[in-house]
Amino acid sequence: QPVVGKMIEEGHVNYVLMYNMLTGIRVAVSRWGAKAKRPLADADFTSSHKYSFDIAGNELTPSVKYDFKFKDYAPNVFRELREDEFHLDPSDYLVSLTGKYILSELGSPGKSGSFFYFSRDYRFIIKTLHHGEHKFLRRVLKQYHAHLKANPHSLLSRFYGLHRVKMPHGKKIHFVVMNNLFPPHRDIHETYDLKGSTVGREYPEERAAVNPRAVLKDLNWIHRGRTLELGPEKRALLTEQIRRDVELLKEINVMDYSLLIGIHNMQRGNKDNLRRNTLKVFSPSVPPRNPAASQSSSRSEAIAMRKAMRRSDPKAIGSHPAAHLPEQDPEDNKQFIFYQDEGGYRATDESNQNMDTIYYFGIIDICTLWTAKKRMENIWKGFSNDRHKISPVPAQEYGNRFFAFMQAVMRGGEGGEKFLENPPER
Ligand code: ATP
Ligand code: CA
Ligand code: CA
């Protein structure tokens, strides 16, 4: 399964969808961004706004290439999250995501059938959601928002927007925009998706040997004897944040989420060229690398975007030359504990001294409710496996096991092998 995506160009089966998603975001977010900000009210969490786009255009929406409808959910809430909680610059967000119609498609890496798209600079990911996930996210948005306000260092997926595109033939596609946990400019030497479930949670090692971009799982982590190398200070901070995040996830009754971890080995550096943006090598639309030009070009683009936003002129936005991929760590992450070291969390030894590893992690896939369907899966898979080691278990049990696993695999914990032998109390 390729982790580096495929560029979506005109003629690609999902080109129209991508165009509609980005046009919708560009117009809705810039229009909304031109309004004065005010404190959130209850109604903001359930509100939604519809836009209708057509080839001819009208006084409210610019003319576009295709006819479609777009729905923007809880725009005030997501605006506040982006600006106040996640410290994203509004024009920067729009430029990165929609300044030019480029996304690369990762296809559908999970079993769920959701599609993933990267923004051209790899900072943002669009994930399509199933209707149930979408409904669920709307329902818990208030709790999610409150949690992030109370926990600025939360590891939960950062949701920047929730939208829907309706194609002319009536098909509705819901999607979220979220953060890419991995840096675009750095090799990730090993990737793990960890749940604390140990049934079927292994990527075949013989395939991993020839695929450095494989997403490995719990049993690979355990059998390879990995630990999270963190000194006492960093360990305590991480443990406490995972504990709090898991408390929320138990409360909102979700399961099946994971801690996604990317490991960067500083001694190996970037020489293996495993960066996700190695895509640019194949892409005719991304100009050759030139850090100096790249920075000024994206800066001038951001300025143009800001001006356009002030004029609230959606047509003016998006007509800028392509920006280049960033060559530096985004500055806006310095205030987040777990993203403070070159965009990640650097390993430390027992005396809190830096080691040569940087971790990039977060808790992803947090919209799966414990439902009757999952209960059936639990019963079914439980016939032939240990019922408490499979992925679908009730939210309380899932959260406790997840937390216990993370504790077990930190340095000083009992270790993955022990976790396998003695599963945690439920
Ligand atoms: P399933 O339900 O079968 O697990 P899914 O379609 O819900 O799959 P996710 O679990 O959300 O998909 O993600 C699948 C993979 O995509 C992850 O294992 C990871 O490799 C990548 N991925 C997901 N979210 C992010 C993110 N925020 N940053 C970087 N990579 C991500
Ligand atoms: Ca998943
Ligand atoms: Ca999922």
Side-chain angles (χ1 to χ4, degrees), residues 33-49:
K35 298 188 188 212
K37 232 164 143 179
R38 51 163 179 75
L40 292 180
D42 270 358
D44 287 318
F45 290 89
T46 49
S47 76
S48 65
H49 295 267

Side-chain angles (χ1 to χ4, degrees), residues 267-282:
Q267 302 216 312
R268 277 168 76 183
N270 295 323
K271 63 176 186 307
D272 303 331
N273 227 23
L274 299 173
R275 274 152 292 168
R276 312 230 155 190
N277 68 15
T278 40
L279 180 76
K280 67 189 165 195
V281 176
F282 311 108

Side-chain angles (χ1 to χ4, degrees), residues 320-382:
H320 318 294
H324 304 224
L325 295 160
E327 303 291 325
Q328 284 178 351
D329 298 288
E331 285 295 317
D332 52 17
N333 266 343
K334 288 282 179 246
Q335 65 261 42
F336 297 111
I337 294 176
F338 304 110
Y339 306 113
Q340 66 181 335
D341 305 318
E342 328 234 359
Y345 201 48
R346 191 160 169 185
T348 47
D349 63 18
E350 278 308 291
S351 43
N352 300 314
Q353 297 301 306
N354 281 336
M355 294 168 64
D356 280 344
T357 300
I358 305 177
Y359 299 112
Y360 295 89
F361 50 62
I363 299 177
I364 62 159
D365 205 7
I366 60 172
C367 292
T368 311
L369 252 181
W370 171 250
T371 54
K373 182 166 163 250
K374 287 287 166 188
R375 196 169 293 125
M376 288 308 291
E377 261 180 64
N378 171 276
I379 293 169
W380 183 247
K381 288 191 181 165

Side-chain angles (χ1 to χ4, degrees), residues 3-243:
V3 169
V4 170
K6 217 193 187 139
M7 195 69 97
I8 303 181
E9 281 158 327
E10 219 154 343
H12 185 289
V13 279
N14 288 329
Y15 179 81
V16 177
L17 171 64
M18 174 204 72
Y19 176 92
N20 296 351
M21 292 194 296
L22 296 187
T23 304
I25 294 174
R26 185 163 61 78
V27 170
V29 171
S30 61
R31 170 109 29 97
W32 215 262
K35 298 188 188 212
K37 232 164 143 179
R38 51 163 179 75
L40 292 180
D42 270 358
D44 287 318
F45 290 89
T46 49
S47 76
S48 65
H49 295 267
K50 281 187 181 165
Y51 298 81
S52 190
F53 291 89
D54 56 57
I55 296 174
N58 57 43
E59 70 280 13
L60 286 175
T61 55
S63 72
V64 290
K65 283 208 227 175
Y66 312 99
D67 290 342
F68 68 97
K69 293 195 162 54
F70 187 84
K71 205 161 168 183
D72 193 10
Y73 295 96
N76 282 337
V77 177
F78 285 105
R79 178 190 186 182
E80 202 201 273
L81 282 169
R82 285 193 306 269
E83 293 176 15
D84 302 350
E85 265 45 80
F86 305 134
H87 303 281
L88 276 180
D89 178 76
S91 45
D92 195 30
Y93 175 65
L94 281 184
V95 170
S96 283
L97 193 58
T98 73
K100 191 107 211 270
Y101 291 98
I102 299 177
L103 287 179
S104 50
E105 183 175 70
L106 189 53
S108 178
K111 292 194 194 93
S112 76
S114 282
F115 273 74
F116 287 76
Y117 300 92
F118 288 108
S119 64
R120 62 188 167 143
D121 59 6
Y122 286 80
R123 285 170 62 199
F124 303 109
I125 294 180
I126 288 177
K127 179 184 180 184
T128 62
L129 294 184
H130 295 276
H131 190 243
E133 293 174 310
H134 153 85
K135 259 179 31 197
F136 172 74
L137 185 52
R138 288 192 74 193
R139 187 152 60 70
V140 299
L141 189 56
K142 202 162 178 198
Q143 282 155 287
Y144 173 80
H145 174 264
H147 182 77
L148 281 151
K149 273 207 122 54
N151 294 277
H153 303 290
S154 170
L155 295 163
L156 300 184
S157 278
R158 294 177 169 188
F159 295 128
Y160 299 137
L162 177 63
H163 314 285
R164 186 188 85 185
V165 161
K166 191 168 158 200
M167 307 292 266
H169 45 78
K171 191 170 180 185
K172 294 172 182 169
I173 294 146
H174 293 98
F175 61 98
V176 276
V177 185
M178 58 186 187
N179 60 322
N180 182 1
L181 286 167
F182 298 151
H185 54 292
R186 219 171 270 274
D187 281 358
I188 294 296
H189 298 106
E190 268 178 32
T191 307
Y192 292 92
D193 181 292
L194 303 178
K195 292 183 171 179
S197 155
T198 49
V199 170
R201 299 282 302 158
E202 183 156 39
Y203 185 92
E205 283 290 349
E206 64 280 5
R207 270 166 60 202
V210 294
N211 179 9
R213 290 194 177 101
V215 180
L216 308 171
K217 298 180 181 171
D218 303 67
L219 288 174
N220 303 96
W221 176 281
I222 293 172
H223 295 149
R224 290 181 180 201
R226 292 283 178 270
T227 29
L228 267 177
E229 301 291 345
L230 297 171
E233 264 176 33
K234 283 192 161 174
R235 205 158 62 214
L237 287 168
L238 180 61
T239 305
E240 177 58 12
Q241 192 56 59
I242 295 181
R243 193 189 63 74

